[in-house]
Amino acid sequence: YTDHQPRQPIMIQKDYYLRMIEEFGRALANFMERRHDAARRDREMADLYRQYVGDYTLVRNLSVEETMVYAHDQWADDERIGRLGMLAELLYAEATYCAVPISTLLYDKAYQLYDYVETHGDTYSIDRHKKMEAIRRILKDKG
C-alpha cells in the first residue's frame, strides 16, 4: 500500500458528496421554477426530501432537537452540516407555499437550521443570510 491508496476512497467520497450538493441545488431550483398543482407539488417535494435528507414525513415533522439527533445518527460527520443546510433549504422552499400556521413552523425550523449551519459550518453564504433575514421579517409580520 502506498500513502495515496487510503486517501483515494475519501477523495472519491468527497467528490460524490460535492456533486450531490450541486445536484440538490439544481433539483430544488427546478422545483421552485415549475408551476405545480398541489398534489404533484407535494409528491415532488416529498421526493426531494427522500433523495437528499430522508423520509419526508419523518424528517419534516421532527423538532429541531430531534433533527440534530437524527442528523448525528444518519449522516457522516463530514456530510452533516451540508445535509442540515439542504434540509433548511427544503423547509424554506416548502414554507413559501404553505398556509399559516404550517408555514410559520417551517420557517422557524428552517431559520434554526440555517443558524446552526452558519455557526457550525465553514462556508459563508450570502444567500443563506438573505433567507435568514427574510425569515426574520416574515416571522415578525406573522407574530
Side-chain angles (χ1 to χ4, degrees):
Y1 290 103
T2 68
D3 192 27
H4 296 290
Q5 284 178 332
R7 291 185 190 151
Q8 187 176 11
I10 293 170
M11 289 175 65
I12 291 170
Q13 189 175 9
K14 284 183 180 182
D15 203 36
Y16 167 78
Y17 180 65
L18 291 174
R19 282 194 315 273
M20 182 183 64
I21 290 172
E22 291 170 358
E23 177 187 298
F24 169 78
R26 286 190 301 273
L28 186 58
N30 288 337
F31 172 83
M32 296 301 288
E33 289 172 2
R34 290 191 305 265
R35 299 276 184 217
H36 303 86
D37 63 70
R40 182 175 178 192
R41 180 194 62 212
D42 292 346
R43 281 192 311 273
E44 288 186 17
M45 177 57 74
D47 192 46
L48 286 171
Y49 272 83
R50 182 192 54 74
Q51 287 178 52
Y52 297 101
V53 296
D55 179 73
Y56 172 75
T57 305
L58 171 68
V59 177
R60 179 186 183 257
N61 295 313
L62 294 172
S63 69
V64 172
E65 295 78 17
E66 292 167 333
T67 299
M68 293 304 166
V69 171
Y70 175 88
H72 180 70
D73 292 346
Q74 297 296 314
W75 302 323
D77 293 345
D78 60 340
E79 293 183 10
R80 193 169 302 125
I81 294 295
R83 291 204 189 247
L84 286 168
M86 288 182 211
L87 178 54
E89 291 289 336
L90 290 167
L91 293 164
Y92 181 86
E94 189 175 6
T96 64
Y97 63 79
C98 286
V100 173
I102 299 298
S103 65
T104 303
L105 295 170
L106 296 175
Y107 277 129
D108 183 58
K109 186 174 174 182
Y111 184 89
Q112 290 181 59
L113 293 177
Y114 281 137
D115 188 56
Y116 183 87
V117 169
E118 181 67 24
T119 58
H120 292 84
D122 58 4
T123 304
Y124 178 82
S125 168
I126 292 173
D127 186 55
R128 182 172 52 239
H129 282 266
K130 287 180 181 178
K131 288 178 180 173
M132 290 173 74
E133 181 58 35
I135 292 170
R136 281 193 290 271
R137 283 193 311 272
I138 291 165
L139 294 178
K140 182 180 176 190
D141 291 345
K142 291 181 179 187

